[in-house]
Structure formats: C-alpha cells, structure tokens
C-alpha cells in the first residue's frame, strides 16, 4: 500500500490478510503473497482509519473511514469474483477512529471523535442499538468487547482513562475506570474469559505516555462498587507512544507496538 499502514488483519481461517493505508485496503493471499483485491474509500477526501476481518465470516471486512467530518463503518463482502461488494454502511455523526467486532461476529463497536461509542447489530445499519458519550471532552480512541460480549473496554484521548462497561438489562453501565496513565489511551484489550473464573480476567492498555499497563477490572464485584480497576503491572520498553496492545489467545503473553517502531512481547503476570 501507498503511505503509512493504518491496519493489518487476518481472515478467520488465516488464509487471507489485509493491509490498509489511508486510501486503499489490499487483500493478500498469505501463502503466495498475491495481491488479490482492493477496497478504495468511496469519497475522494476520505481517510481509512481502521480495517478488520470478521472473526466468523471469512470474506467480510469492516472498514472505519470518514469524509473529513462525518464517519462511516462499512461492511464489505469479497467472496465473489470481481470488485468487492458493499453490504452495509453504518453512518456516524463524527469521525470514526476505531472499529472492532464481537467474538461471535454479530455486533460491532465503534469509537468516534466526539467521544461517543456505538454498538451496532451487524445486520442492521439503520441505527445503533446503543450510543453514549464514553469519554467527555475529547475523542474515544479505541474499544474492544470481551470474548463473551458482555463487557466492553474503551480508551480516551483527553481524560487519559480506560473505562470498563457492563451490559446490564440491555444498557451499558460504567463498571470501573483504569486510572494511572499520563497520556491518551490508544489501544485496549481484554484477556480471554474463562468460564467460572471471571475474577481472573485482565485488561491491557497502551498509552501516549509510552507505558503498557495490565489491570484487574474486578469483574466479579457487585455493580454498585465504584472503586477503580486495580493496576497490576506497568510495562516499560517503548521510547514513544504505544499504539497497539494485544493478549495471546491463552492470556499469558502481552504484545505491544509503538511509534518507536518496536514490537515487544512480555509475560502478562508479575
């Protein structure tokens, strides 16, 4: 792709990969390296912010982009020969900075420049099932579902917070805040949930302050407990802002990448 790479993702089988630049997404065959298809932003002044394969549908891709003012999440289908087919357009009032999917592929969550977070059913682009101001006074930069879809973590630019939300009676209620970063929270993730061991779930955050932090979100506490998430680890190793964080599938390893060009792997436990 031309220009900086804004996103990379594997398909559910691992046979396909995508790379996104500001204007074009390219689909690659992992084995041969062949450049198979292109998705181009529909508006000439538009910018692609994020692109990710569906976790369940091999040939579906979610793309977050904007026209300079309003934002969109588009669902593309690349299963047929020829040009990719646009299936859905999820319109937003502000620029969309991040999009991700629930593990079952049935919902998506988007984070926007106006501080709002929106939850959408993947088969209905008419209106979101929920939208709220997650981060006041500045953009919501990132968001991620837990593996069971009952929890959400979001990161803010100006409040320097990660916030954990719980789905309670079809409403998303604030559960805990992760307080401790001295810069914007650029990336967030849950560790895999293990049935019967909710209290062992962890959250990871990466920030402009160059640090990666691992948190205990205390998911097994009562909802009316307003205490903050517990900071377990502060991981150093980056000289510039941390832009991406992730857990390994077993939750034992933390991956981080930053603007210093470094990719770091570390244990998630002390």
């Amino acid at each position: 792709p031309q220009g900086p790479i804004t996103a990379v993702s594997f398909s559910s089988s691992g046979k396909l990969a995508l790379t996104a630049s500001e204007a074009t997404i390219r689909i690659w065959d992992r084995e041969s390296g062949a450049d198979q298809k292109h998705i181009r932003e529909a508006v000439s002044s538009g910018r692609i912010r994020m692109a990710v394969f569906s976790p369940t549908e091999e040939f579906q891709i979610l793309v977050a982009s904007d026209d300079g003012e309003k934002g969109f999440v588009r669902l593309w289908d690349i299963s047929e020969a020829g040009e990719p087919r646009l299936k859905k357009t999820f319109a937003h009032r502000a620029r969309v900075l991040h999009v991700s999917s629930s593990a079952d592929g049935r919902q998506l969550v988007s984070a926007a420049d106006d501080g709002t977070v929106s939850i959408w059913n993947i088969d209905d682009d008419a209106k979101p099932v929920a939208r709220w101001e997650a981060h006041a006074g500045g953009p919501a930069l990132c968001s991620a579902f837990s593996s069971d879809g009952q929890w959400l973590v979001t990161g803010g630019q100006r409040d320097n917070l990660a916030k954990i939300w719980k789905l309670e009676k079809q409403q998303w209620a604030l559960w805990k805040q992760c307080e401790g970063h001295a810069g914007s929270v650029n990336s967030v993730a849950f560790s895999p949930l293990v049935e019967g061991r909710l209290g062992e779930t962890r959250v990871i955050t990466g920030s402009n302050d160059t640090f990666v932090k691992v948190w205990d979100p205390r998911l097994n506490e009562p909802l009316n407990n307003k205490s903050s998430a517990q900071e377990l680890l502060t991981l150093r190793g980056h000289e510039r802002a941390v832009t991406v964080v992730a857990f390994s599938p077993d939750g034992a390893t933390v991956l981080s990448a930053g603007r210093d060009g470094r990719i770091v792997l570390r244990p998630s436990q002390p």
Side-chain angles (χ1 to χ4, degrees):
Q2 300 296 312
I5 305 300
T6 59
V8 295
S9 178
F10 277 114
S11 65
S12 56
S13 71
K15 294 179 180 179
L16 299 175
L18 69 79
T19 56
S21 63
E22 291 187 356
T24 304
I25 296 167
R26 297 190 179 194
I27 315 301
W28 308 83
D29 181 272
R30 189 189 72 175
E31 301 235 343
S32 68
D35 184 357
Q36 295 191 332
K37 290 180 184 287
H38 294 176
I39 298 173
R40 292 184 171 84
E41 177 51 47
V43 182
S44 60
S45 60
R47 176 181 176 186
I48 294 171
R49 303 275 180 171
M50 181 80 185
V52 62
F53 272 103
S54 163
T56 57
E57 299 294 330
E58 174 76 1
F59 299 108
Q60 291 189 5
I61 297 170
L62 287 167
V63 180
S65 61
D66 62 72
D67 62 6
E69 295 181 2
K70 294 181 180 180
F72 308 90
V73 174
R74 294 185 173 95
L75 178 63
W76 293 88
D77 187 294
I78 60 168
S79 62
E80 300 174 0
E83 292 297 312
R85 179 169 62 92
L86 179 61
K87 294 188 66 176
K88 302 283 184 183
T89 298
F90 306 87
H92 293 65
R93 298 182 298 237
R95 293 180 297 172
V96 181
L97 305 180
H98 190 272
V99 64
S100 59
S101 176
S102 59
D104 62 8
R106 295 179 180 178
Q107 291 191 317
L108 67 90
V109 55
S110 54
D113 198 35
D114 60 358
T116 60
V117 168
S118 302
I119 310 291
W120 304 76
N121 288 331
I122 198 71
D123 57 358
D124 183 6
D125 59 358
K127 63 178 181 179
V129 295
R131 175 180 282 155
W132 70 98
E133 186 180 48
H135 296 273
L141 295 179
C142 51
S143 54
F145 284 109
S146 61
S147 54
D148 66 354
Q150 300 301 300
W151 304 86
L152 187 73
V153 58
T154 63
Q157 184 181 69
R158 294 186 182 173
D159 58 12
N160 300 342
L161 294 174
K163 296 184 180 183
I164 297 151
W165 309 83
K166 182 183 182 182
L167 183 59
E168 188 83 10
K169 297 178 180 179
Q170 303 305 310
Q171 299 290 325
W172 288 93
L174 180 62
W175 181 258
K176 303 287 181 188
Q177 294 190 156
C178 302
E179 303 172 358
H181 281 297
S184 62
V185 177
N186 300 322
S187 185
V188 293
F190 274 102
S191 66
L193 268 65
V194 178
E195 187 174 354
R197 295 159 62 184
L198 192 63
E200 297 180 17
T201 304
R202 299 293 179 255
V203 164
I204 185 173
T205 56
S207 171
N208 267 9
D209 64 9
T210 75
F211 298 132
V212 174
K213 292 181 182 288
V214 179
W215 308 81
D216 178 1
R218 300 173 172 174
L219 300 188
N220 55 357
E221 289 188 357
L223 181 61
N224 59 3
N225 188 323
K226 298 301 182 183
S227 62
S228 299
Q230 180 184 2
E231 182 180 327
L232 300 177
L233 284 175
T234 295
L235 304 175
R236 295 165 173 82
H238 291 281
E239 296 179 353
R240 298 181 65 188
V242 179
T243 54
V244 179
V245 294
F247 279 105
S248 60
D250 63 1
T253 303
V254 167
L255 179 148
S256 62
R259 292 201 180 103
D260 56 6
R262 294 179 179 175
I263 298 172
V264 184
L265 289 167
R266 287 165 289 201
S268 61
Q269 300 291 334

